[in-house]
Amino acid sequence: MIALEPAAEACLARTRSSVTNVLIAISGGIALSGLVLRWRDRAAIWRAPDELRQGLLAGLFLLLFSSYAVRRVGASRARLHDPQRRASRFYQAHLISAVIGSLAILLGLCYGWWVRPRLDAVSPFWVAALALGFLALPRADELRDFEDPIPEPNEPTR
């Protein structure tokens, strides 16, 4: 296993830390939405039209696709080719992907509030948010084998 240069290692650690913070926020959002939905009066739920249910599920699929696309395109080898911008693009792609995934918590809360406040109905939204957060955690292989290393923050630009 080849070690990363120090600037790439620092970028990887910073990105992992930020995405982990988003994962912690996702966990808190799941707990909070679970508490909110726990006391939702099931008998008083307004019968949501089928279009609302389908729209919220379509929104979940849109979030899944968007999060994946942002991470794949934003952290692609072609986008990371420029060593001057590699660290910021890498960081942004992974963090934005995790934040987009965290929006599934809000969709799940809306689904539980208006459609069905049960664990089996809301859990796909929660699982999607956690899965997208974990997928956004960067791997060291993504920053390996570039021709030019990431410059140190105190190095002058060429």
Side-chain angles (χ1 to χ4, degrees), residues 34-113:
L35 285 173
V36 167
L37 293 175
R38 177 181 177 156
W39 290 294
R40 178 76 171 138
D41 185 10
R42 287 171 181 79
I45 294 178
W46 165 67
R47 264 323 269 173
D50 199 42
E51 292 83 19
L52 178 62
R53 184 184 66 77
Q54 290 176 352
L56 289 170
L57 290 173
L60 178 62
F61 286 113
L62 181 65
L63 285 178
L64 289 167
F65 175 76
S66 299
S67 177
Y68 176 79
V70 164
R71 185 173 42 84
R72 293 297 294 175
V73 172
S76 67
R77 300 294 282 182
R79 292 268 303 156
L80 299 178
H81 185 69
D82 180 14
Q84 301 295 326
R85 302 175 82 186
R86 185 178 306 144
S88 64
R89 286 181 175 173
F90 182 81
Y91 177 81
Q92 288 172 355
H94 287 277
L95 185 63
I96 291 171
S97 175
V99 169
I100 290 171
S102 72
L103 295 175
I105 300 296
L106 181 59
L107 280 180
L109 180 61
C110 292
Y111 191 89
W113 191 263

Side-chain angles (χ1 to χ4, degrees), residues 127-143:
V127 169
L130 283 171
L132 292 171
F134 279 110
L135 286 173
L137 282 169
R139 297 179 311 276
D141 292 344
E142 296 176 73
L143 290 174

Side-chain angles (χ1 to χ4, degrees), residues 1-5 9 140-141 144-145:
M1 191 184 271
I2 301 171
L4 294 174
E5 74 248 12
E9 194 69 44
D141 292 344
R144 280 204 179 99
D145 301 328

